[in-house]
Amino acid sequence: MVRVRAMGRFGIIVPSMKHQPSHVERALRERVRIVPYDPAWPALFAAEAAHLRQLLPADLIGRIEHFGSTAVPGLAAKPVVDMLLEVCSMASVAQHIAPALKREGYEFFWRGRESGLPGIGYAWFIKRDVAGRRTHHIHCLEPDSPEWERLLFRDYLRMNPAVARAYGELKQRIASEHPDDRVAYAKAKTDFIAGVMRVARKEAGG
């Protein structure tokens, strides 16, 4: 397992150790690339969701959701399908899910609980194709995790194409400004995301 430290509204990650394992350093070094929307992305999500259900015990996982920019029709995005995987507990991720996925070649990342509490607070996986390119990010969430609010952002962009276009233009601009700094790229989106979330919560009655 690899521990990282989180920052930002939606779990932006930076390393918490000076010397990182090779797959962590590789993930942090990879260039940010934004491409036009690909209509194949929903099918890639569906295929991976089915694959995960074949790999993992049914009693350990629940719903699987497509989120992020690849889940918004017409939105430019990094060509990586983001997924939310409901898990019964973070302990089950450490004990059962991570070993199963690592055997299949998935890269495992995690960060600790807040305020010094023991155990995993957040966990996710990177899946790559045979050429080594990222294809999927699988984020593990417990049923009561506040991170499910990511779906509110997704749904708001789906319902508001003009806002989605503005978000896509922002991402393309900051990707050109920070092509080799994933943390800076993610931080540069924070204000836009926060503004959209305020409106989305208000409209949702939150």
Side-chain angles (χ1 to χ4, degrees), residues 158-170:
R158 284 177 172 177
M159 296 297 294
N160 295 272
V163 178
R165 282 195 299 273
Y167 186 45
E169 292 168 0
L170 172 67

Side-chain angles (χ1 to χ4, degrees), residues 21-75:
S22 59
H23 75 286
V24 177
E25 292 186 354
R26 176 190 188 186
L28 291 171
R29 286 197 311 264
E30 289 174 309
R31 291 178 67 88
V32 177
R33 183 168 65 97
I34 303 297
V35 302
Y37 178 78
D38 187 341
W41 285 335
L44 293 176
F45 160 76
E48 180 63 14
H51 183 58
L52 290 172
R53 292 201 183 280
Q54 289 180 335
L55 285 176
L56 302 173
D59 61 332
L60 298 184
I61 62 174
R63 60 175 169 156
I64 304 176
E65 294 277 358
H66 187 187
F67 81 106
S69 295
T70 62
V72 180
L75 180 56

Side-chain angles (χ1 to χ4, degrees), residues 128-172:
R128 298 180 184 273
D129 63 17
V130 293
R133 294 181 293 256
R134 299 188 192 203
T135 60
H136 299 76
H137 292 165
I138 297 100
H139 300 257
C140 299
L141 302 184
E142 294 175 332
D144 60 351
S145 171
E147 298 290 341
W148 288 106
E149 194 177 42
R150 297 177 182 195
L151 299 180
L152 186 61
F153 183 73
R154 176 202 68 184
D155 293 345
Y156 187 86
L157 294 185
R158 284 177 172 177
M159 296 297 294
N160 295 272
V163 178
R165 282 195 299 273
Y167 186 45
E169 292 168 0
L170 172 67
K171 291 193 299 174
Q172 289 170 325

